[in-house]
C-alpha cells in the first residue's frame, strides 16, 4: 500500500489551536491565518473509515484550490496559498454554522426522501411525478446544520435558520446569492468537461473585517456529485442508474455490505485491493473534473514534506 496521511500533530510557529474535522485538520496561526491540511481519511455517512485512501488528500486539496481560482471573480474566498499538494493556507474566518447545499437534480439524499413520500425538503417543495436523477426546473437550496464531530448534519429550512438566529437574514441572503453563482459557474465548468454538476455543498465564513467568503472545499468529489453528460438522457429514459463521478460509489459499496452509519452497524472490512481501487477512482475523478493529468506527489514521507513546505511558507 502507498503511504497515506490519516492524522497530523504539527507544532507550527505561532500555533494557537488545532481543529480536526472528518477529513481536514485546521491549524490556527496567531489568530490571523489557517493552515488546512487535507488528509487521506475517507468519511461516509458521517463516519471516518479505518484506512486512508492514497492521494485522496492531495486530490481534494488540488481540486478545491483550482476551483477557488476559477470562481474568485464571482465570490471572494479565504485562500491565500497552497505551499504543499495537501495544504491550503488562508485567512482566519468564523465559519457559518450551516452548509449551503444546492441541488440541480433529484439525486442522493433528495431522491431517498422523495422515495419515502416526502415532497418538502428543507421547506422547499419538490414537484410530483419526478424520477430519480431528473433535473429540477430550477436548482433548489436545501441547507444543513453543521454537526459537531461524530454527529450527523441535519436538514434545516431557511425559515428555521432565521428563526433560530443561526444566520442573520442579511447574511443569509448573501449566502444564497453566492451559492447560486458558484453552482452556475461550477455547472459551466463541469459541462466543458462533459460532466453534469448534480449537487454540491458550499461552506462560508466571515473574515475579521466582516467580509463573507467561501471556505473549505468546492466542487470536489467529496462535496459534490457529478454525472457523465454523455448518455444521461438515454439512461433517464430507460430508468437506468446514471454513471456517476462522486463518492457515491463508496456509499453504495458500504450499503451493499450492510453499513449506513446507523447505530449498531460496523464498518465492513476494506481490503488493500479495494482501497487501491478507491484511490484509482479518486484519480479518475480528479482528471475528469479538472481536465488535467494527475501528478502523484512524493509520499515517501508525507508528514515531513508537509511540515517542511508549511514552515518554509510561514517564514
Amino acid at each position: 500500500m502507498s503511504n497515506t496521511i490519516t492524522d497530523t500533530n504539527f507544532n507550527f510557529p505561532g500555533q494557537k489551536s488545532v481543529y480536526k474535522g472528518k477529513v481536514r485538520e485546521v491549524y490556527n496561526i496567531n489568530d490571523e491565518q489557517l493552515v488546512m491540511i487535507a488528509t487521506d481519511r475517507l468519511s461516509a455517512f458521517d463516519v471516518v473509515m479505518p484506512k486512508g485512501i492514497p492521494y485522496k488528500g492531495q486530490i481534494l486539496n488540488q481540486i478545491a484550490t483550482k476551483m477557488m481560482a476559477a470562481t474568485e471573480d464571482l465570490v471572494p474566498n479565504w485562500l491565500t496559498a497552497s505551499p504543499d499538494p495537501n495544504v491550503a493556507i488562508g485567512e482566519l474566518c468564523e465559519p457559518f454554522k450551516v452548509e449551503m447545499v444546492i441541488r440541480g437534480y433529484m439525486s442522493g439524499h433528495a431522491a431517498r426522501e422523495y422515495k419515502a413520500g416526502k415532497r418538502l425538503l428543507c421547506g422547499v417543495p419538490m414537484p410530483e411525478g419526478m424520477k430519480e436523477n431528473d433535473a429540477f426546473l430550477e436548482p433548489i437550496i436545501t441547507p444543513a446544520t453543521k454537526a459537531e464531530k461524530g454527529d450527523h448534519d441535519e436538514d434545516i429550512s431557511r425559515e428555521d435558520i432565521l428563526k433560530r438566529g443561526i444566520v442573520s437574514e442579511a447574511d443569509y441572503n448573501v449566502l444564497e446569492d453566492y451559492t447560486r453563482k458558484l453552482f452556475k459557474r461550477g455547472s459551466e465548468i463541469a459541462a466543458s468537461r462533459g460532466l453534469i454538476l448534480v449537487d454540491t455543498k458550499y461552506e462560508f465564513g466571515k473574515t475579521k473585517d466582516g467580509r463573507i467568503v467561501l471556505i473549505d472545499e468546492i466542487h470536489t468529489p467529496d462535496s459534490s456529485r457529478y454525472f457523465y453528460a454523455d448518455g444521461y438522457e438515454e439512461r433517464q429514459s430507460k430508468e437506468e442508474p446514471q454513471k456517476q463521478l462522486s463518492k457515491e460509489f463508496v456509499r453504495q459499496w458500504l450499503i451493499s455490505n450492510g453499513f449506513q452509519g446507523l447505530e449498531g452497524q460496523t464498518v465492513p472490512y476494506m481490503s488493500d485491493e479495494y482501497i487501491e481501487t478507491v484511490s484509482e477512482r479518486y484519480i479518475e475523478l480528479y482528471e475528469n473534473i479538472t481536465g488535467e493529468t494527475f501528478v502523484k506527489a512524493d509520499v515517501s514521507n508525507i508528514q515531513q514534506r508537509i511540515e517542511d513546505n508549511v514552515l518554509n511558507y510561514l517564514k
Side-chain angles (χ1 to χ4, degrees):
M1 284 300 292
S2 298
N3 204 351
T4 58
I5 185 163
T6 54
D7 189 37
T8 70
N9 288 293
F10 296 120
N11 196 357
F12 297 122
Q15 184 172 311
K16 295 273 185 157
S17 61
V18 186
Y19 167 77
K20 300 201 173 194
K22 291 194 261 288
V23 173
R24 288 173 175 73
E25 309 203 335
V26 186
Y27 290 78
N28 172 341
I29 310 296
N30 290 323
D31 289 331
E32 291 293 335
Q33 51 188 349
L34 298 176
V35 174
M36 185 185 281
I37 298 166
T39 71
D40 295 324
R41 294 197 293 264
L42 174 65
S43 156
F45 299 114
D46 292 323
V47 176
V48 175
M49 301 294 121
K51 290 183 181 177
I53 306 300
Y55 304 106
K56 178 177 174 284
Q58 178 188 349
I59 287 164
L60 293 190
N61 185 59
Q62 291 188 329
I63 292 174
T65 52
K66 285 174 192 296
M67 290 292 180
M68 286 202 177
T71 55
E72 64 189 359
D73 59 316
L74 286 179
V75 173
N77 63 60
W78 76 292
L79 186 70
T80 49
S82 179
D84 179 273
N86 286 62
V87 178
I89 296 180
E91 285 183 87
L92 175 83
C93 301
E94 179 64 38
F96 287 100
K97 289 187 165 55
V98 289
E99 292 182 344
M100 298 299 285
V101 181
I102 182 164
R103 304 173 185 279
Y105 293 74
M106 195 188 69
S107 302
H109 175 60
R112 290 190 280 273
E113 294 287 281
Y114 199 90
K115 272 182 191 157
K118 295 180 186 169
R119 294 295 178 267
L120 261 190
L121 186 60
C122 303
V124 182
M126 298 187 286
E128 287 292 343
M130 289 187 78
K131 298 198 304 280
E132 184 169 359
N133 301 330
D134 276 352
F136 290 114
L137 288 173
E138 287 282 317
I140 64 171
I141 293 179
T142 59
T145 56
K146 278 287 288 165
E148 293 303 314
K149 200 171 168 188
D151 290 337
H152 289 274
D153 297 342
E154 287 181 9
D155 291 345
I156 188 168
S157 66
R158 176 199 165 105
E159 290 67 35
D160 276 349
I161 289 170
L162 300 183
K163 194 163 75 186
R164 285 161 55 180
I166 298 170
V167 181
S168 74
E169 186 163 12
D171 284 352
Y172 192 80
N173 289 338
V174 175
L175 300 189
E176 280 204 330
D177 177 52
Y178 282 177
T179 296
R180 292 193 188 282
K181 283 177 174 160
L182 289 168
F183 190 70
K184 185 170 184 291
R185 175 66 59 82
S187 299
E188 289 162 1
I189 294 169
S192 74
R193 314 255 193 263
L195 301 172
I196 294 167
L197 180 56
V198 177
D199 53 42
T200 191
K201 70 178 173 74
Y202 304 114
E203 296 188 41
F204 298 94
K206 210 174 237 192
T207 60
K208 282 185 165 181
D209 57 7
R211 287 176 306 123
I212 294 175
V213 297
L214 174 68
I215 61 172
D216 203 37
E217 62 185 337
I218 163 178
H219 301 157
T220 72
D222 272 21
S223 66
S224 318
R225 190 187 319 267
Y226 291 90
F227 292 157
Y228 287 94
D230 186 34
Y232 165 79
E233 295 291 353
E234 191 185 341
R235 285 188 284 272
Q236 274 309 89
S237 65
K238 291 178 178 172
E239 297 196 27
E240 292 174 358
Q242 286 299 330
K243 198 175 170 208
Q244 294 210 19
L245 260 185
S246 72
K247 200 169 62 171
E248 187 66 21
F249 72 94
V250 175
R251 291 191 199 97
Q252 292 303 332
W253 182 86
L254 290 167
I255 290 170
S256 69
N257 282 277
F259 182 79
Q260 288 189 64
L262 303 175
E263 217 172 305
Q265 295 182 338
T266 51
V267 177
Y269 173 71
M270 291 184 169
S271 69
D272 287 355
E273 290 72 29
Y274 179 70
I275 295 284
E276 209 56 55
T277 65
V278 176
S279 181
E280 284 160 11
R281 283 292 290 275
Y282 266 92
I283 291 170
E284 180 195 341
L285 296 170
Y286 174 94
E287 294 186 339
N288 279 282
I289 291 166
T290 65
E292 297 172 15
T293 303
F294 180 66
V295 180
K296 293 178 177 180
D298 175 8
V299 292
S300 53
N301 191 336
I302 308 176
Q303 300 266 359
Q304 194 63 55
R305 188 199 77 207
I306 289 174
E307 187 169 26
D308 291 347
N309 285 335
V310 171
L311 289 173
N312 280 335
Y313 176 82
L314 292 176
K315 273 177 195 162

